[in-house]
Amino acid sequence: MTDDSPLVRVEHVVREYPVGAWNVRGHPRVVHAVSDVSLSLRRGRTVGLVGESGCGKSTLGRLVVGLERPTSGVVRFDGVDIRGGTRAQRRTARRELQLMFQDPYGSLDPRMNIGSIIAEPLVVQRQGARKERRERVLHLLAEVGLPASAISRYPSEFSGGQRQRLGLARALALNPQVIVADEPVSALDVSVRSQILNLMLDLQVAHELTYLVISHDLTTLRYIADEIGVMYLGKLVEWGPSAALFQNAVHPYTRALIGAIPVAEPPSGRRRQSTAVRGEVPSPVEPPSGCRFRTRCPRAESICAEVEPPLRDFDAGHAAACHFPLRDPVTAAPAMTRKESA
Ligand code: ADP
Ligand code: MG
């Protein structure tokens, strides 16, 4: 494999959850959490995933690290299906793909001390004797900028930012190649967010980490992501290099998300709840026909209810799924024809 080949490939991944009820046709009803999403993570790079709450971002994150089985489709690490392959391959995937949890309060067991929390993945994967594990934990604490004395303390004794450092140390314990960070800074004050993001960037360089960073906040992703995927109701509706997406969004949903970014963060550092788009995300149990965004889209016409728009290319590596994009897609016509029409 060349260095360019994606380290992780998400191929047509679907994840549905039964909701314990039946629809009018007698079929079991399901939550369409992730609906046919494909994307790639390239080595040492960062992909950001954005979208409103309930659009399937966390589900996709759990699928990427193998904590959940796709209803259909496949996630490949280094070419190998992370839930297929041999036992040894599955074990490798479990080690190489780590999730950094969203909520440090919820994910860190309050009764475990920091040493045990960080060492837990090592114990689970039976790595090292007790003494080596302790040395590894001390090394990890230093890497994330925490004092060695933290080892015998408890999560409640730490601030939000420090707990995210602990979450990072734990995610790093097995020396993974890929870290999926689910809302890594959403719970933090603005003043602390950039510290954690900078630490993530430093660790990325030091360990050649590949990141999938999930956030409902585009400002965070603008800071850290090379490429951004926009999710709406389980679908990837736009994908592109970070700069292209901000300068030249083509999907009305992406445009609305960008338009909702506050011009300046409020000085108090408190989060302002901005409503990205008018109305609410419809139920993922019965998503709208055709384009799922059409019920909230200012550009929607009748075709949007009838035909699901495919992802089409707009620039190199920049694609969107919309019948009425904010600018024209690249046509499949030969170059000459395109030049003539220009
Ligand atoms: P996001 O992270 O973008 O907010 P999620 O992936 O958490 O979105 O959720 C997507 C949808 O899937 C939501 O409607 C959510 O309620 C549903 N969902 C997520 N996990 C489960 C589960 N384990 N069982 C049932 N429904 C779930
Ligand atoms: Mg989430």
Side-chain angles (χ1 to χ4, degrees):
M1 262 191 185
T2 67
D3 245 3
D4 265 10
S5 62
L7 188 55
V8 176
R9 292 189 95 107
V10 173
E11 299 173 0
H12 299 289
V13 163
V14 173
R15 182 60 168 126
E16 294 168 348
Y17 298 105
V19 289
W22 284 264
N23 67 15
V24 285
R25 272 156 280 148
H27 296 299
R29 290 182 16 129
V30 297
V31 177
H32 298 269
V34 174
S35 303
D36 193 9
V37 168
S38 298
L39 56 85
S40 297
L41 308 184
R42 289 180 295 146
R43 259 171 240 272
R45 312 277 289 180
T46 300
V47 164
L49 214 50
V50 72
E52 287 161 289
S53 178
C55 283
K57 305 181 300 296
S58 294
T59 302
L60 189 61
R62 292 196 302 272
L63 288 161
V64 166
V65 298
L67 282 178
E68 286 201 38
R69 181 182 289 281
T71 305
S72 62
V74 51
V75 176
R76 292 184 197 283
F77 171 78
D78 231 352
V80 180
D81 179 355
I82 62 167
R83 302 203 54 129
T86 64
R87 233 177 112 117
Q89 283 171 327
R90 286 199 301 275
R91 197 177 147 88
T92 302
R94 272 204 302 278
R95 194 177 61 232
E96 300 284 12
L97 301 155
Q98 292 292 320
L99 185 65
M100 177 187 171
F101 288 94
Q102 173 169 16
D103 167 22
Y105 264 124
S107 61
L108 301 176
D109 185 339
R111 292 156 310 172
M112 278 169 83
N113 69 26
I114 301 312
S116 318
I117 287 171
I118 298 176
E120 195 179 47
L122 300 168
V123 175
V124 170
Q125 286 252 343
R126 297 205 189 89
Q127 292 209 355
R130 183 180 287 264
K131 183 159 170 287
E132 288 153 345
R133 289 202 298 264
R134 186 184 155 83
E135 274 160 22
R136 176 89 182 124
V137 169
L138 289 171
H139 177 78
L140 288 162
L141 284 171
E143 273 217 281
V144 300
L146 288 171
S149 61
I151 196 165
S152 53
R153 290 163 62 194
Y154 291 84
S156 59
E157 300 174 52
F158 293 88
S159 68
Q162 287 172 321
R163 281 198 297 267
Q164 284 301 7
R165 291 176 190 269
L166 295 171
L168 265 172
R170 183 183 153 105
L172 281 171
L174 292 166
N175 205 13
Q177 293 189 55
V178 181
I179 291 183
V180 174
D182 192 353
E183 306 276 6
V185 297
S186 304
L188 303 180
D189 281 351
V190 174
S191 55
V192 186
R193 274 186 224 165
S194 55
Q195 290 173 22
I196 298 299
L197 295 176
N198 286 335
L199 174 63
M200 288 179 69
L201 290 169
D202 290 345
L203 292 168
Q204 177 166 47
V205 173
H207 297 276
E208 288 189 292
L209 291 166
T210 302
Y211 284 143
L212 176 63
V213 179
I214 295 168
S215 179
H216 64 274
D217 172 34
L218 265 172
T219 315
T220 297
L221 296 185
R222 176 178 226 170
Y223 196 76
I224 199 169
D226 300 299
E227 289 169 295
I228 294 177
V230 181
M231 280 187 80
Y232 186 78
L233 263 184
K235 293 272 177 190
L236 196 62
V237 299
E238 184 158 0
W239 170 274
S242 187
L245 203 102
F246 275 97
Q247 282 154 23
N248 251 326
V250 288
H251 198 288
Y253 183 57
T254 311
R255 167 69 63 86
L257 290 179
I258 292 170
I261 297 174
V263 176
E265 293 283 358
S268 67
R270 296 196 54 145
R271 296 195 53 79
R272 189 160 75 195
Q273 204 56 47
S274 59
T275 39
V277 198
R278 54 200 166 84
E280 283 174 13
V281 183
S283 163
V285 177
E286 308 221 17
S289 63
C291 172
R292 291 186 182 183
F293 184 57
R294 69 173 164 86
T295 55
R296 300 167 79 196
C297 183
R299 300 168 76 88
E301 296 188 22
S302 59
I303 186 182
C304 303
E306 291 150 20
V307 181
E308 187 185 334
L311 272 172
R312 292 183 291 172
D313 285 336
F314 285 79
D315 291 305
H318 189 178
C322 179
H323 290 302
F324 302 101
L326 299 168
R327 67 193 162 89
D328 290 336
V330 176
T331 60
M336 232 173 70
T337 322
R338 243 190 291 161
K339 208 169 173 183
E340 278 165 10
S341 70

